[in-house]
Amino acid sequence: MAAVHESVLDAIGGTPLFRLARLGAGLAAPVYAKAEFLNIGGSVKDRAALSMVLAAERDGLLKPGGTIVEATSGNTGIGLAIVGRRRGYRVIAGLADKSSAEKADILRAYGAEVVRASTAVPQEDPRHLFKVMERLTEEIPGAWLANQYDNLANPDAHLRTTGPEVWEQTGGRVTHFVAGVGTGGTITGTGEYLKEASGGSVTVVGADPESSSYGGGDGSPWYVESIGHYLHPDTVEDRWPQALRSEAIDSYERIPDRESLLTARRLAREEGILAGPSSGTAVAAALRVARQLGPEDLVVVLLPDSGRSYLSKVHSDAWMREWGFLEDGDGLRSLLEAAGPLVPVAADATVGEALEVLRDVPGGVAPAVLARTERPYGVAATEVVGSVSRAALEAALADGTVKPGDSLGALLGPALPAVGVGQSPAEARAVLGGACRSVLVLVDGRVAGVLPREVLG
Ligand code: PMP
């Protein structure tokens, strides 16, 4: 018989393990998933939220009538909203502008106030979500910033609960623990406990988006929410969270977005587990780890949240197709190959530099991108800030408005519309509408090429 609790707060944690029998078929080592989406607020972050609020009350940082403030990709805010409202506080959740609309709606439903701000600017920028929330905390009397990234009550929650649960549920047989790394709280606390309990024999593996800098990528953007470490090209200081103690992690598996997203979809279809995209990253990593192991090993992979928050994203065929993650026909693939490789222009280039780049570009139009540096994982669509056209530059030079050494400035046109490689030429024409002459084509959320209207039929 299931437990009876006097408060939902008593029901946080205690999540089951499910064997991934379908996705792990043919592997010698069993792979078990820790179902954190079954927490009361739908994610692993309920544990950290409860732990941080109780610690803040204990330390006198949060007093009756106080306000909880936090920057969140969604789930920590939901956990804080549940715990905070239940214990009588006002809750303000600062949500990254790339987080899903569902998360904002859920936050409001639990009684949190939602503030949207960007995480796509350097952390020092006053518009950055973290800075906006710091300012609010200073302005509101009795406000406390939970600060999950540097709050040690976050990893502590997992040291006290998630770690012991995994150890007990597997009867001490777990040999490998795999989890994504956002704040690092989950993997640090759980990993440290399992290492301690096993006398150091459990291997802890971080599941990281391929371009995230935790696992060795360049920090350029990726498409799995809530995990990884992003580095804006203008970032001055690369700070890693204090909730992440890197010694707890033995190695990283670096997972491309397509593999993460398709694995999340397989989890739903083949295992009956509707989970979020970071669960896809974690399971993809766990399967890679398990392929190297034998029957005496046992892998536990942590699934942080539910797929219900992403029905408009990873679990939507239309979204997957629009961002170039799903191709179920020829789509634009053959037109893209005929068009040749992508040639981007750095948005802060000079007119002369841009013309040099554009000289041999068919159609004479290129996307202007944020980064000057090479992007080994491709130019993410989210890094495109505008467009540059050879004709416009030449005209401005000819009439003397600009000189070759000037920056592009006002000559930067609007960002071109984009379609996924799996979309049809007719869909691309519809996206172009009346005003634009070229369309960007995305493969795996990265710009793979530019197609002029003429080739779309
Ligand atoms: N996946 C999801 C969906 C999350 O919300 C989070 C928390 N930001 C993580 C993974 C990463 O967990 P942690 O912050 O404990 O590293």
Side-chain angles (χ1 to χ4, degrees):
M1 189 142 86
V4 175
H5 299 289
E6 298 305 316
S7 156
V8 289
L9 305 190
D10 299 334
I12 292 174
T15 54
L17 286 185
F18 297 126
R19 176 140 186 203
L20 299 182
R22 295 276 161 76
L23 268 66
L27 296 174
V31 178
Y32 284 89
K34 178 87 170 142
E36 289 301 301
F37 54 85
L38 289 177
N39 272 300
I40 209 79
S43 93
V44 67
K45 298 306 294 204
D46 290 356
R47 297 179 191 259
L50 180 62
S51 172
M52 291 192 294
V53 169
L54 295 183
E57 288 177 348
R58 202 184 49 228
D59 298 342
L61 302 170
L62 191 54
K63 300 202 177 71
T67 300
I68 298 172
V69 181
E70 181 63 327
T72 168
S73 62
N75 288 323
T76 303
I78 292 169
L80 286 171
I82 294 171
V83 176
R85 300 292 294 160
R86 188 72 176 69
R87 294 179 79 80
Y89 303 108
R90 179 180 174 201
V91 178
I92 304 179
L95 197 61
D97 46 13
K98 68 178 177 188
S99 289
S100 68
E102 291 95 321
K103 283 179 175 168
D105 290 341
I106 295 169
L107 280 164
R108 290 194 193 95
Y110 279 119
E113 296 155 55
V114 176
V115 176
R116 285 270 191 180
S118 177
T119 50
V121 291
Q123 277 194 24
E124 298 81 15
D125 193 305
R127 291 168 302 169
H128 193 284
L129 176 65
F130 293 177
K131 289 278 178 255
V132 172
M133 301 319 280
E134 277 171 20
R135 215 163 48 235
L136 268 179
T137 310
E138 282 163 21
E139 286 166 11
I140 299 171
W144 164 72
L145 183 68
N147 194 13
Q148 55 173 326
Y149 284 88
D150 295 326
N151 190 331
L152 300 186
N154 165 11
D156 194 51
H158 301 285
L159 200 58
R160 284 183 291 100
T161 69
T162 321
E165 287 174 27
V166 169
W167 186 250
E168 237 168 71
Q169 284 169 304
T170 60
R173 285 173 51 231
V174 57
T175 59
H176 294 72
F177 177 68
V178 183
V181 189
T183 65
T186 304
I187 198 162
T188 298
T190 312
E192 284 178 352
Y193 182 89
L194 293 176
K195 281 184 180 291
E196 176 76 31
S198 65
S201 71
V202 167
T203 301
V204 177
V205 179
D208 209 33
E210 189 178 35
S211 62
S212 154
S213 71
Y214 281 146
D218 64 351
S220 59
W222 60 90
Y223 287 85
V224 178
E225 290 173 34
S226 310
I227 53 169
H229 192 62
Y230 169 70
L231 277 182
H232 187 278
D234 299 335
T235 297
V236 178
E237 186 199 359
D238 179 16
R239 268 191 81 241
W240 284 24
Q242 289 170 29
L244 169 62
R245 293 187 283 266
S246 292
E247 316 82 72
I249 304 174
D250 294 291
S251 61
Y252 282 93
E253 286 293 336
R254 298 172 55 195
I255 310 295
D257 288 335
R258 181 180 286 227
E259 189 176 341
S260 291
L261 300 178
L262 294 181
T263 305
R265 291 163 64 93
R266 285 189 62 200
L267 268 176
R269 287 153 198 230
E270 296 175 41
E271 297 283 359
I273 296 176
L274 186 65
S278 71
S279 296
T281 310
V283 169
L287 295 175
R288 287 188 185 187
V289 168
R291 276 181 210 120
Q292 315 297 323
L293 303 177
E296 68 288 354
D297 294 303
L298 190 151
V299 180
V300 172
V301 55
L302 186 135
L303 310 189
D305 75 350
S306 161
R308 290 195 182 204
S309 297
Y310 312 92
L311 293 178
S312 67
K313 296 178 97 174
V314 58
H315 296 297
S316 152
D317 285 357
W319 185 90
M320 289 288 285
R321 210 177 282 112
E322 279 161 23
W323 290 87
F325 290 111
L326 201 62
E327 288 171 69
D328 36 18
D330 180 40
L332 300 166
R333 183 63 76 171
S334 52
L335 289 177
L336 188 63
E337 277 157 17
L342 171 76
V343 185
V345 170
D348 62 354
T350 63
V351 172
E353 285 170 334
L355 267 178
E356 186 65 24
V357 174
L358 284 166
R359 201 171 46 195
D360 302 321
V361 173
V365 178
V369 301
L370 205 56
R372 229 167 208 284
T373 46
E374 275 293 303
R375 285 298 198 213
Y377 310 98
V379 173
T382 48
E383 283 192 311
V384 176
V385 293
S387 60
V388 194
S389 112
R390 185 169 52 216
L393 298 192
E394 283 170 352
L397 276 176
D399 68 18
T401 335
V402 293
K403 291 191 275 303
D406 292 347
S407 64
L408 286 169
L411 294 177
L412 213 57
L416 303 172
V419 285
V421 67
Q423 294 188 266
S424 67
E427 283 173 297
R429 284 199 303 275
V431 164
L432 267 177
C436 286
R437 300 218 44 79
S438 303
V439 65
L440 302 178
V441 183
L442 307 181
V443 175
D444 295 348
R446 272 104 186 138
V447 184
V450 184
L451 293 180
R453 170 187 289 278
E454 297 78 66
V455 307
L456 295 170

